[in-house]
Amino acid sequence: MANNALTKNTKHLIKALYESGVKNFVVSPGSRTTPVALLLAEYDRQNDDINLYIDVDERSAGFFALGIAKKQQEPVVLLGTSGTAITEYTSAVAEAHISHVPLIVLSTDRPSELQGNGAPQTLTQHQIFGEFTKNYVSFTLQDEHPDVTTYIDFMTQKLVHESKIAPRGPLQINLPLRKPLMPQLGDKEDIVVSSLTFAQPLKTIDMLKLSQTRVLILAGPNEDADYLPELTEFSNRYHVPVIADVLSRVRTQKTVYGIDALLKSGMITPNYRPELVIRFGATPVSASVLQWLKSENIPVWYVGLTAGSDHSRHTTRVFQISPNEFLSQTTVTNNLEFYQLWQELNAKSRQVTGEASISRTLDNILPEQTTIFVANSMAIRDMDDIFTGKLTQNIYANRGANGIDGIVSTALGMSSTSSQRSVLLIGDLTLFHDMNGLMMAKQYQLPLDIVVVNNNGGGIFSFLPQATAELYFETLFGTPLNLNMAKVASLYDMPYVKINQAQDLKTVIVAPIDGPRLIEFKSDRLSNVKAHHQLMGSNK
Amino acid sequence: MANNALTKNTKHLIKALYESGVKNFVVSPGSRTTPVALLLAEYDRQNDDINLYIDVDERSAGFFALGIAKKQQEPVVLLGTSGTAITEYTSAVAEAHISHVPLIVLSTDRPSELQGNGAPQTLTQHQIFGEFTKNYVSFTLQDEHPDVTTYIDFMTQKLVHESKIAPRGPLQINLPLRKPLMPQLGDKEDIVVSSLTFAQPLKTIDMLKLSQTRVLILAGPNEDADYLPELTEFSNRYHVPVIADVLSRVRTQKTVYGIDALLKSGMITPNYRPELVIRFGATPVSASVLQWLKSENIPVWYVGLTAGSDHSRHTTRVFQISPNEFLSQTTVTNNLEFYQLWQELNAKSRQVTGEASISRTLDNILPEQTTIFVANSMAIRDMDDIFTGKLTQNIYANRGANGIDGIVSTALGMSSTSSQRSVLLIGDLTLFHDMNGLMMAKQYQLPLDIVVVNNNGGGIFSFLPQATAELYFETLFGTPLNLNMAKVASLYDMPYVKINQAQDLKTVIVAPIDGPRLIEFKSDRLSNVKAHHQLMGSNK
């Protein structure tokens, strides 16, 4: 009978997830997952709109799920087996927490009678991710009591909903399971999940008429719904210039790009000074722009469903509504000269050489609306400085904890959501950190072009003060790994292309291909430092 | 001045660690680690007995440190940068917690004014490993107040001591740091750490004279000090047979090996029944042996500094003293026939074919006292069934959470402690999970022979009930990765040898070589199931 309860309750869990909108499941094999994995595979066969991925390395699996959830803006389920397998999700869960991505971890566990008493593969899974999860619940799937089934129905729907409301984030559902673990496959009994729906909150907000005439919008990384059409209209109608972070998903030819380089080169003279800055989105990639607002004492209002976190501690007014709501209810009469001054910035030439020329080339050649995932460290800084958003606004990165871990997997998860080819821009050290992630590219033949800028080590440290500690620098920070990219590609049965200059990317990218591909651009760290100093100084 | 405080306090931290006995440091590069990493590198140049390893992938680094600490039985320091880098240590810290290994995580962090407020790369690092750490402390290295320096001296020594006393385990020292991060290198000021020593506890235990005459010792995995000489003498003098787990480090020609297979084959008839079993060490690899003690209702006493955890819930008496103390204070007059019955078991032939023949060959050919690290899943079960301990008792595994993660790195950490070659026995899936770990083998040319039993997937699942779910089995559990081992070796510039039968290992192992080597033995999962059933049934 316990096995019937197991089958029935597990089916309720799966169906409640599905009916709440979860369509993507990333499973890592293990013994304790057996009933959930098998019934999920069965459910997957019966429902065409489910995607079930098997990823052996749980660390990669966590980031793969993160990539799907980021792109789809829908919760993704991770299913893992008891023990350190669950701890391997921690990094992806932490990133999901900070950057507000819905993830649902199903952590199968040993039963209560094996806890804390020397049983193998048993650790405390209760709230194992600590503050990184929004909520936690435990389901006793093998319990026959009817209350357990309705609890699973109700709580699953409630938790999926919680993962999707601001601030979105990860959740854990722990599943203690006792042997025998085999469920009943092929059972035809109809599963009816008692439905729970959540009404939209009612909104009543007054119209806002701004008295300032030099208003500027600073659009940071967007973790929420798109607002490009509304912003474009607002900016055009009221002549409000927009500084658009490369991850804002609103960077176009009409917004200002590369504020970090502009500030460092001294181009932003006092006549660019705004009276008021409206911030959208998360913390910008450019560290300089927040410093500038603070040091110039320019008033900042912060708008967004999760707005309010400002580590420069300079914001004075917070609107916890979406950018769309704000834009539709605000009017301003901006100074035209001020607007034009900012609009002319993009036209001024910037001297782009070295690694940054890859970002410029991607800007020019990629098919419209290509999704680009950008690694942290140098890659994201180059893209923010250089990429104009001419043809695509679909730029993503893991800018919560800014780790160099899990980047390959996140990009692959993202590329799994579309048949159009995506691009990953990444350095050699970051690629190495998640090289295991490439297994998913091979197993599912995912359509991703991985552009590796290979400067044989950690390029960003050459820009930091420790670069002067010559005796220790190369060992502690440079860390050359001498990774042979052709061999990496070969190990994962991937086509490999080496390009000698950024422009060569064009002929590579237009060549039709299915599945993943590795494209290597060799650089060296010293000449890249010079190239960046040129970029910064080019308009002085 | 703050920078002088930073330099001074960081030097106190490093020196206090060193004087408390920490000699091994595993560092992962990052910006926030700068002052600690640089001053550590300087200290390393001044002290010949320090080993400083740089490991780019923090997950690998965590397990590499675990491997060193397991072998040396001394705490090892992990130094990592703020953000998900720290979360990457979670799996190794969890394993260290369960299997009682001293690790000290130095987690550099953003300063307090950047917490919880949108600063990049900032997450809550306060007690980030939850229940997996024994203690937690935070040092404000940039604080000039003299109390801070003596606090660092005192607490560092106290924490290192805590990590070393039973139950040993991991600790976290969090280090919030504000920019500028550059310390003063080359400073000659003498650092004097006020010393704190811990006296040994006084012991007064009575002599114990056992009245039972059929006493048997079950030696589980040993996480503590060696007790082989004392056990050998005790067993000889009092005719007490010993069932020795492969990880007990007391398995020799005079102890009984492979109890799991012996029980399953029906060889342990009622006349083998002991009157009392004395358990040492952690949970045995064999699941059957505890089941047998329980189902036959054989009384069990449990001896060890951390004894008491028995998930079979069958132990009736616990002695929280070391096996050595117990053996030196106990006498018994055992039945000679009972002793001989057990002693004759090893001589009975067992039919060893398939993957298990690798374990048998290792038993026969390895140089004396070779250290062998054994992966979880099938590898450890084979070794426990087959390995007789003829020439070495130095067998190790991660038998806390029994994860398949981090195995390559743990073995490499262990092999770094000696110039004698070590051996890792591992399956293809487990190798893949920690393939990044191989970078340390390449960077430090560590003397490890990696013997991969490649059955292209998860072999253990073929022994479990889900093997009957044919429609889903291969996708969910078999998970063939088609990993080309020659290419893996080539990527890490490692010699690669393929052997067709286990005996070929001999010619390979005796061939002199420096540095790492990959040895592949191809198997298939179906024929391996048959081979195991033969082994179990061979003496019926």
Side-chain angles (χ1 to χ4, degrees), chain B residues 191-206:
Chain B
I191 299 291
V192 181
V193 170
S194 24
S195 170
L196 175 70
T197 59
F198 294 84
Q200 291 296 317
L202 303 174
K203 295 260 164 66
T204 47
I205 299 167
D206 296 332

Side-chain angles (χ1 to χ4, degrees), chain A residues 225-282:
Chain A
D226 285 327
Y227 59 93
L228 178 56
E230 294 80 0
L231 180 73
T232 308
E233 208 215 302
F234 184 88
S235 169
N236 286 343
R237 176 184 299 177
Y238 302 119
H239 304 124
V240 176
V242 177
I243 298 174
D245 189 279
V246 70
L247 302 174
S248 64
R249 301 212 304 276
V250 297
R251 185 183 280 191
T252 66
Q253 300 285 287
K254 298 209 150 191
T255 59
V256 178
Y257 77 94
I259 186 65
D260 205 83
L262 291 172
L263 285 163
K264 284 183 179 150
S265 69
M267 287 192 66
I268 307 300
T269 52
N271 40 346
Y272 286 84
R273 187 193 158 90
E275 239 179 301
L276 172 69
V277 165
I278 314 279
R279 262 186 77 179
F280 297 152

Side-chain angles (χ1 to χ4, degrees), chain A residues 380-431:
Chain A
I380 187 69
R381 286 170 174 80
D382 280 354
M383 282 289 280
D384 194 48
D385 278 344
I386 302 300
F387 197 82
T388 71
K390 201 181 290 180
L391 297 164
T392 179
Q393 286 74 47
N394 294 329
I395 324 290
Y396 293 85
N398 282 348
R399 291 305 282 184
N402 297 1
I404 67 163
D405 47 348
I407 298 298
V408 172
S409 297
T410 315
L412 285 167
M414 201 165 268
S415 85
S416 76
T417 64
S418 163
S419 56
Q420 202 196 333
R421 294 190 70 75
S422 303
V423 172
L424 166 62
L425 177 63
I426 191 168
D428 57 299
L429 220 55
T430 306
L431 178 82

